Amino acid sequence: MKINNICCLGAGYVGGPTMSIIAQKNPDIKVNVVDMNADKILAWNSKDLDNLPVYEPGLSKVVKEARGRNLFFSTDVNKHIEEADMIFISVNTPTKTSGKGKGYAADLKYVDACAKQIAEVSKSNKIIVEKSTVPVRTSEKIKDILTSYNTNVDFQILSNPEFLAEGTAMRDLEIPDRVLIGGDNTIEGKKAIDSLVEIYSSWVPKKNILTTNLWSSELSKLTANAFLAQRISSINSLSELCEETGADIEEVSKAIGMDSRIGKNFLKTSVGFGGSCFQKDILNLVYISRSLGLKKVADYWEQILIINEHQRDRFSKKIIKCIKNRNLKPKVLILGWAFKKNTNDTRESAAIYVANNLLNKGISIEIYDPQVKENQVNFDLSNLNPDYNKSLVNFVFEPFQNISDYNIIAIMTEWD
Ligand code: NAI
């Protein structure tokens, strides 16, 4: 089936960039990205392309080319669901904060709400594409919701997890290592898969488009993130060993990375990984494993998170100890608040945790980040600790002017 009209639910870090590329590469397909957050949609429609809600190198150029031609951002969710042949669900799937699985399981309330809304509004057959990262077998649950609210139309469900990395999203979308599409092994399921393959084939070589069953696709995304995070925790755990022994982690990293079986990527030591995905996806993997009685498997993957937290705490303790031992003025300049360079995303950034640890010891902090706004910093700190001491926090715009005034500078993000 040839797709003419796409609707994407969720205009966030995945929905926005992903749909921009799909629209750019398929000018004959109308792509409507919808979100219930009106401010976000307003920002996506902003004339000032420096003010898009997502900062990604190269994104504004693609938006400029496609927006108003075949790419549209809107809050009119129902209208665009109804018009669409294919609907992507790109909403957030955070860790549950209450109920069964609290602190571990993925909260699927936004995905479920999308499925319900799609079912209620749809009058014609639709292909539903899970873009959000979800627990294995979620597609089954989506199908149940769709069919229990609407028996008049046919819904085909596909899983098409997103592997982009923030900061390099546009390059990752333009030249993906692979595109993964999971679907049902039925005639209708295969037709749905073919429709999505055709959209990606506009710019991705067919050999890089992998098709699997639904559950392999869902689980592959969770495990890809777990493997990537595992490498970071592995190298970070060794950084502590290096500090105790006089070995140099950069040298160790280079030496092991030159082994072609290991490879050099994701071997840089840091204050710990952040971002909205690694932690929540591993927690989810731990939850799924534990729910299936696989305690040893769950414990194995959970250790990655334990090391990550340990690395952040260890870094904070070093600063606190240094101030105390050298009797320094208790003030630290924090360079970088985003969880990595080339993004304005601060979710789970190590900087938030380190800043909180310092504030808890009465140490004042000055913060600079080229892409993060002051209100986001305040939001992040109060989200972690509603009683944080605001008088100890200062946001600076020109940190390098008086750089020699600082005794301690914590480089939290590897911004160039
Ligand atoms: P986000 O929080 O940036 O965006 C999600 C958007 O969905 C929000 O703007 C929210 O208002 C909207 N939304 C929620 N419910 C809605 C509804 N019923 N109707 C319309 N809009 C609704 O989240 P992000 O980062 O884009 O992640 C989305 C999914 O993609 C998550 O499952 C995440 O795990 C996954 N993912 C994220 C990656 C990343 O680098 N951020 C990479 C790969 C996957």
Side-chain angles (χ1 to χ4, degrees):
M1 178 181 146
K2 167 87 181 86
I3 302 297
N4 296 308
N5 190 310
I6 288 177
C7 172
C8 172
L9 302 176
Y13 283 89
V14 167
T18 312
M19 292 303 127
S20 299
I21 286 278
I22 287 186
Q24 184 201 32
K25 305 290 186 189
N26 294 276
D28 56 325
I29 302 179
K30 192 169 176 193
V31 180
N32 290 295
V33 190
V34 297
D35 204 295
M36 53 196 187
N37 181 335
D39 289 341
K40 206 173 261 189
I41 292 299
L42 201 65
W44 277 113
N45 284 321
S46 160
K47 277 209 174 70
D48 178 3
L49 287 164
D50 288 336
N51 254 336
L52 298 179
V54 170
Y55 173 75
E56 274 298 334
L59 172 63
S60 56
K61 187 171 159 274
V62 178
V63 171
K64 190 175 171 201
E65 182 186 334
R67 197 178 60 185
R69 179 188 71 188
N70 65 324
L71 173 68
F72 303 91
F73 295 92
S74 164
T75 48
D76 199 344
V77 181
N78 285 350
K79 174 171 177 263
H80 295 300
I81 288 178
E82 202 185 327
E83 287 174 3
D85 318 309
M86 179 176 271
I87 302 173
F88 286 78
I89 300 180
S90 296
V91 300
N92 33 332
T93 49
T95 305
K96 275 181 102 169
T97 52
S98 60
K100 190 166 175 266
K102 176 184 167 185
Y104 283 90
D107 193 343
L108 294 178
K109 69 178 173 213
Y110 303 107
V111 172
D112 293 351
C114 289
K116 187 163 175 269
Q117 195 166 359
I118 292 168
E120 283 172 350
V121 171
S122 296
K123 296 195 185 81
S124 57
N125 295 349
K126 305 209 184 292
I127 298 170
I128 313 300
V129 186
E130 266 176 9
K131 188 52 114 174
S132 298
T133 304
V134 289
V136 54
R137 298 193 85 103
T138 299
S139 50
E140 211 170 26
K141 206 176 154 213
I142 293 179
K143 181 103 187 168
D144 285 348
I145 296 175
L146 290 168
T147 48
S148 68
Y149 283 93
N150 189 336
T151 48
N152 299 325
V153 305
D154 179 59
F155 294 107
Q156 287 301 318
I157 323 283
L158 298 178
S159 159
N160 172 221
E162 186 48 62
F163 293 102
L164 69 79
E166 286 178 31
T168 52
M170 303 316 284
R171 193 195 63 204
D172 299 342
L173 288 166
E174 179 100 37
I175 329 167
D177 288 344
R178 79 318 207 170
V179 166
L180 180 58
I181 301 173
D184 273 337
N185 194 10
T186 56
I187 292 171
E188 289 308 312
K190 284 181 182 151
K191 276 190 196 161
I193 292 175
D194 288 345
S195 308
L196 189 52
V197 168
E198 194 187 324
I199 292 171
Y200 281 108
S201 308
S202 303
W203 79 99
V204 180
K206 279 253 171 61
K207 68 176 174 37
N208 292 4
I209 304 177
L210 191 65
T211 58
T212 65
N213 82 27
L214 276 164
W215 304 316
S216 305
S217 172
E218 289 172 336
L219 189 59
S220 296
K221 173 62 195 177
L222 278 190
T223 41
N225 274 353
F227 268 69
L228 292 169
Q230 178 198 46
R231 284 176 72 102
I232 301 178
S233 278
S234 297
I235 202 74
N236 281 344
S237 74
L238 291 174
S239 73
E240 187 172 16
L241 192 56
C242 283
E243 286 161 33
E244 294 300 318
T245 57
D248 180 334
I249 190 64
E250 301 278 333
E251 290 174 355
V252 172
S253 172
K254 187 170 178 192
I256 61 175
M258 284 173 77
D259 186 325
S260 59
R261 292 167 303 176
I262 298 173
K264 65 179 177 359
N265 294 330
F266 265 67
L267 278 186
K268 259 202 157 58
T269 190
S270 68
V271 192
F273 57 77
S276 66
C277 296
F278 282 1
Q279 176 169 304
K280 87 170 165 69
D281 292 347
I282 294 175
L283 285 169
N284 191 2
L285 195 62
V286 169
Y287 178 74
I288 294 169
S289 306
R290 228 165 246 155
S291 307
L292 295 168
L294 311 176
K295 184 180 174 305
K296 288 256 171 18
V297 177
D299 291 349
Y300 174 76
W301 289 107
E302 191 161 26
Q303 192 61 30
I304 293 164
L305 298 174
I306 294 171
I307 287 288
N308 200 47
E309 205 178 313
H310 173 64
Q311 188 79 345
R312 297 190 302 233
D313 286 348
R314 213 163 70 70
F315 186 79
S316 315
K317 279 183 189 144
K318 275 192 167 189
I319 297 176
I320 295 162
K321 196 168 151 199
C322 176
I323 291 177
K324 197 168 155 227
N325 288 356
R326 298 185 187 202
N327 206 13
L328 299 175
K329 193 169 151 200
K331 184 165 113 178
V332 175
L333 172 65
I334 291 184
L335 291 181
W337 193 258
F339 83 93
K340 68 195 294 199
K341 75 172 178 180
N342 289 333
T343 178
N344 59 342
D345 194 353
T346 65
R347 291 175 291 183
E348 293 299 326
S349 176
I352 307 169
Y353 291 91
V354 170
N356 184 56
N357 289 340
L358 298 180
L359 292 173
N360 285 342
K361 292 287 175 190
I363 297 167
S364 62
I365 55 174
E366 303 214 335
I367 299 158
Y368 170 73
D369 188 290
Q371 285 296 335
V372 178
K373 303 217 165 70
E374 187 170 3
N375 58 359
Q376 184 64 44
V377 171
N378 294 333
F379 171 83
D380 293 334
L381 286 170
S382 60
N383 197 27
L384 187 61
N385 174 11
D387 301 322
Y388 84 96
N389 190 341
K390 290 190 179 61
S391 67
L392 292 178
V393 181
N394 203 6
F395 197 78
V396 293
F397 296 92
E398 300 283 352
F400 304 108
Q401 267 177 3
N402 304 315
I403 200 92
S404 55
D405 292 353
Y406 297 98
N407 285 312
I408 299 191
I409 301 170
I411 301 174
M412 300 302 303
T413 311
E414 76 282 24
W415 279 108
D416 291 345

